[in-house]
Amino acid sequence: MKSRGIPGLLTLVEKFWPALEYDFQVHLRGLRAMDWMAGKKDWREFYRFKDRLGPGTDYYAAMLDDPDTVEAMLKLPPAKPGAPALRDWNWLRETLTQMTEVIAASGGAKVKLPRPESEVERRRSERSRRVSRHNAAALTRNSTPSFTTKKAPRGRIR
């Protein structure tokens, strides 16, 4: 639900208020959603916090059960599979991923499940690939095939 402004806010409050109020208390360390309703806080801040509520929250579950939200999601192109978001990764997901890989390996399958990658890891990987390509190119340029022979230098032989 991305609509902002008064109409978007009214729809949000009408459909999801109980879930949002609960999640602000439980998942956002005791924030009182009623402070925004009472005009004590800026609604832009409310939207920023609301957008951080992901899987495992009542708001997220309510959105996925809302017919209008589901219809809007069905109009979007399917998401491409890939690495999970770094924000959603935690020790439990890492443990489950490792266990899945171990179980697959015990059956003879070589499985490496995707893991999130930080910007530091992406840059290190890119630098490593760049260095490998550079080294491979240098080796190709500087090597001489073993089946060719060099001509002897001209001049007197002593």
Side-chain angles (χ1 to χ4, degrees), residues 128-142:
S128 177
R129 282 191 297 274
R130 213 176 309 132
V131 167
S132 295
R133 283 193 304 263
H134 174 76
N135 289 344
L139 285 172
T140 305
R141 267 193 317 272
N142 296 333

Side-chain angles (χ1 to χ4, degrees), residues 27-88:
H27 297 285
L28 298 178
R29 302 188 192 269
L31 287 177
R32 291 190 64 240
M34 285 304 288
D35 287 347
W36 283 274
M37 291 295 282
K40 294 179 182 177
K41 296 185 178 189
D42 188 340
W43 280 99
R44 291 174 293 192
E45 181 183 50
F46 178 86
Y47 273 104
R48 285 193 304 272
F49 285 138
K50 171 205 60 91
D51 290 343
R52 302 290 298 175
L53 297 171
T57 64
D58 283 16
Y59 170 66
Y60 191 82
M63 272 193 355
L64 293 179
D65 278 342
D66 177 57
D68 296 331
T69 304
V70 170
E71 279 302 315
M73 290 173 72
L74 290 173
K75 292 177 183 176
L76 297 172
K80 295 179 182 175
L86 188 58
R87 173 180 173 232
D88 298 331

Side-chain angles (χ1 to χ4, degrees), residues 1 3-17 37 43 47:
M1 172 165 244
S3 61
R4 304 282 178 161
I6 299 298
L9 177 61
L10 292 175
T11 301
L12 184 72
V13 168
E14 179 184 334
K15 287 185 172 193
F16 306 115
W17 186 254
M37 291 295 282
W43 280 99
Y47 273 104

Side-chain angles (χ1 to χ4, degrees), residues 49-124:
F49 285 138
K50 171 205 60 91
D51 290 343
R52 302 290 298 175
L53 297 171
T57 64
D58 283 16
Y59 170 66
Y60 191 82
M63 272 193 355
L64 293 179
D65 278 342
D66 177 57
D68 296 331
T69 304
V70 170
E71 279 302 315
M73 290 173 72
L74 290 173
K75 292 177 183 176
L76 297 172
K80 295 179 182 175
L86 188 58
R87 173 180 173 232
D88 298 331
W89 200 255
N90 58 28
W91 67 270
L92 180 59
R93 288 192 69 179
E94 176 63 28
T95 302
L96 291 172
T97 301
Q98 288 176 4
M99 289 172 59
T100 303
E101 291 172 342
V102 167
I103 291 168
S106 69
K110 291 186 179 182
V111 175
K112 181 69 175 157
L113 296 174
R115 286 174 171 75
E117 196 175 40
S118 69
E119 184 63 23
V120 170
E121 291 163 329
R122 281 190 289 277
R123 287 185 183 198
R124 282 187 181 140

